[in-house]
Every structure is written in structure tokens, then in C-alpha cells.
Amino acid sequence: MKTNITYACGHEGTVQLYGKSADRDRKKAWLEQHALCPDCQKKQREKETKKALEATAGLDLPALKGSRKQIEWARGIRAKKVEEAAIFLDPKLPKEIQEKADKFYHWYISHTDASWWIDHRNDSLRSTVKATRKYWD
């Protein structure tokens, strides 16, 4: 059922809601209280990507390989992920962990295939560490 809503950002839009009446009402209320309209979502993502790109600008990351579109998409993903991964460079880490953390960090940022970053865009840093840990233990 299509219904008009006013998003949390104040913009209006039409959304398609499915399910029982109570479920649709609950979803509509949630959208109106918490969701941004598609335009505001896009602006927020662009702002976050720009911030991440600026934060990683001085890291001399390797060039990405792939189509132009893949590279554009992956640059933002990689910047956010590399910014998160900076916790592995913390000098306060115990010595027995520092070597592995440093090795993981350099392996992580060395990926040059845009498709790798796109494929792993929803992976948490923790799950990536777990998946690759077996190679270094």
C-alpha cells in the first residue's frame, strides 16, 4: 500500500508499505520518527565518504583496479574501512598483539581490487580479522 509520509528530516515522500495494517502503521511511525528521505540519506552518505577520504588522504593507499564506477564506489568504502582499521596501529596494544595487528592492517589496506572492497563493504572489521586470522596463527 502506497502512503505519504513526512520523514524525520521534515521532507515528504511516498513509500510502499507491505504487510498487515498494524505492521504498516508501525513501519510508517518508525520512518516518520527515525528515517531520512532518500535525498538526505544520499547527502549524509556523501558527507561521511568525504570525511573518510579526507582522513585517509595522507596514507598513500595503492591505486584501485576495476571499472570507473567500481573504483568510485570502492574509494569511499575503503576510506571508511581503513579509518576503522586504524585501531590496529595503536601503540598501546600489547607487544604480543602489535606484530599481528600491524601485519593485518598492512594486508587489509593493500587490497587493490575495487570489487574486494565492494564485496566486503558490510563485513565488520572483527569478522574480517577472524576470517584471515587462520593464515597467521
Side-chain angles (χ1 to χ4, degrees):
M1 170 178 174
K2 286 192 178 189
T3 186
N4 293 325
I5 64 166
T6 302
Y7 290 95
C9 60
H11 296 116
E12 295 182 359
T14 302
V15 294
Q16 178 74 44
L17 299 175
Y18 299 96
K20 298 176 185 174
S21 179
D23 293 339
R24 290 193 309 260
D25 292 342
R26 196 172 21 255
K27 178 73 173 187
K28 181 180 177 184
W30 185 90
L31 288 169
E32 291 179 334
Q33 293 172 12
H34 303 286
L36 298 175
C37 71
D39 290 337
C40 289
Q41 281 179 343
K42 182 178 178 183
K43 287 176 187 172
Q44 182 179 5
R45 276 193 308 271
E46 288 171 354
K47 183 179 173 184
E48 290 170 357
T49 298
K50 183 180 178 185
K51 180 183 169 194
L53 287 169
E54 289 170 356
T56 58
L59 293 181
D60 195 30
L61 296 170
L64 292 171
K65 294 182 253 176
S67 71
R68 184 183 56 77
K69 197 170 184 178
Q70 282 179 319
I71 291 170
E72 286 176 17
W73 189 13
R75 279 184 67 230
I77 295 167
R78 177 175 70 173
K80 290 175 191 172
K81 296 290 189 175
V82 168
E83 193 175 23
E84 289 174 18
I87 62 168
F88 290 106
L89 301 176
D90 187 352
K92 296 175 188 167
L93 288 173
K95 293 289 180 197
E96 61 273 8
I97 295 175
Q98 266 185 340
E99 185 178 325
K100 287 183 181 182
D102 188 55
K103 192 173 185 178
F104 171 79
Y105 177 80
H106 287 91
W107 169 83
Y108 192 66
I109 68 169
S110 70
H111 285 90
T112 57
D113 287 329
S115 62
W116 188 90
W117 292 101
I118 293 167
D119 291 345
H120 294 87
R121 69 186 177 276
N122 295 321
D123 294 355
S124 70
L125 194 54
R126 183 180 187 144
S127 67
T128 306
V129 169
K130 279 183 166 182
T132 58
R133 188 174 171 186
K134 63 183 172 191
Y135 298 111
W136 299 324
D137 285 344

